[in-house]
Amino acid sequence: MQDFHPAAGRRTAMPGLWILLMCLLLAACAGGPGAQHEGPLLSGPRLDAPAGPAWFALRFRHAWPAGSDPRWEQDLLLAETVVGPTLRANEDRLVRWRFHRRAARTPSGHQFSFIFYSDGATAARIHEEVRANPTLVRMMRTGLVEELRLDDTGDTDLAATSDPEWPPHIQKHWPLFIMGASAVWLELVGACNAEDALQDSLDALLVHYRDCHAQVTKDWRRWGQHAYLHHLSGVFGYPPMLIRKEIRF
């Protein structure tokens, strides 16, 4: 489970302090073709939503037939070509944002989420821009994505989406950490782009992002310990870290 995006014009990725949770971003999701849809199945912001900023979650549920593996490349396709453009267009109005990726045989199934802290008007605009995105429309019509949902949590506290078991001061600042990790992951996905990656064929795009997922995963496996974890440790002065249970980075 993880806190599971063309590249021109994107801002520079955020500082290395926030990169540890890249590991959460690299264990993704995907799915195979399912039922046909004419357009996104969705919900919108609550009418009684707070006037000020709050947490919203734009969630994409992939088709995931029984007995099949998640198709993680679909997360990359959504992040780069569907969420990416509206993220860049609205970035100045997003206080915090991140990606979340998961695939488990639960009601949520294989799901990719764009979670952000903003005012309701910005959330509604992002929702409308995403639902009209041609790539998403094609993915819905071919059954690759079964549902688009905008969850309005109503939570106005910046720490509200952090793990409640963490100390309050870590809960408060963790959203900044994972936003940086998400920005780096998005940059790495963008770095995979080639001239033939932006063609109209959905099948060609899926092949491209399947290759990109493999490349990002390879880079994480080969360079993650030194480029990310080692230098993150350096920011904190290289103290030992308590690992309380077996964990797959």
Side-chain angles (χ1 to χ4, degrees):
M1 194 167 171
Q2 294 155 340
D3 267 58
F4 206 35
H5 356 125
R10 185 179 300 119
R11 296 184 176 182
T12 303
M14 305 187 72
L17 171 59
W18 305 317
I19 300 177
L20 173 59
L21 290 186
M22 179 85 65
C23 58
L24 298 179
L25 295 167
L26 291 173
C29 40
Q36 300 292 313
H37 296 289
E38 290 303 316
L41 304 178
L42 50 89
S43 60
R46 294 183 296 109
L47 294 178
D48 61 344
W55 283 106
F56 296 86
L58 197 61
R59 305 193 188 279
F60 305 81
R61 183 163 56 84
H62 297 282
W64 189 17
S68 68
D69 293 329
R71 296 179 61 184
W72 301 113
E73 66 273 13
Q74 292 186 190
D75 285 353
L76 281 69
L77 175 56
L78 287 172
E80 176 71 8
T81 67
V82 176
V83 176
T86 194
L87 167 59
R88 293 190 289 275
N90 295 280
E91 191 170 11
D92 290 343
R93 292 178 287 274
L94 301 180
V95 180
R96 297 286 184 269
W97 60 269
R98 73 177 189 268
F99 297 115
H100 185 275
R101 306 172 66 189
R102 53 109 57 218
R105 294 297 183 181
T106 64
S108 295
H110 178 190
Q111 183 170 268
F112 175 72
S113 300
F114 175 53
I115 303 169
F116 57 96
Y117 187 85
S118 76
D119 60 89
T122 298
R125 181 167 51 253
I126 288 174
H127 183 217
E128 290 305 308
E129 291 174 356
V130 165
R131 68 181 293 189
N133 183 281
T135 298
L136 178 62
V137 170
R138 284 189 291 171
M139 294 179 77
M140 298 288 296
R141 288 177 175 170
T142 57
L144 293 173
V145 173
E146 294 183 332
E147 180 183 20
L148 168 66
R149 186 177 76 252
L150 178 63
D151 288 343
D152 178 359
T153 69
D155 291 321
T156 60
D157 185 356
L158 270 176
T161 63
S162 300
D163 193 318
E165 293 188 1
W166 300 338
H169 58 285
I170 291 182
Q171 293 183 47
K172 178 181 178 180
H173 300 294
W174 181 80
L176 186 61
F177 175 95
I178 195 62
M179 182 170 74
S182 296
V184 170
W185 178 74
L186 183 57
E187 292 289 337
L188 293 175
V189 172
C192 295
N193 277 333
E195 289 186 3
D196 62 352
L198 306 178
Q199 48 193 300
D200 291 334
S201 167
L202 183 57
D203 288 340
L205 284 172
L206 288 169
V207 169
H208 167 73
Y209 284 105
R210 188 177 306 130
D211 292 342
C212 184
H213 171 70
Q215 181 61 52
V216 172
T217 300
K218 179 181 178 181
D219 287 343
W220 170 256
R221 183 181 297 116
R222 173 65 179 84
W223 302 107
Q225 179 178 340
H226 185 227
Y228 301 134
L229 302 185
H230 168 74
H231 288 284
L232 177 65
S233 178
V235 170
F236 288 90
Y238 301 103
M241 180 186 296
L242 177 64
I243 305 295
R244 294 180 296 179
K245 61 182 180 180
E246 181 180 353
I247 185 170
R248 180 179 182 181
F249 283 111

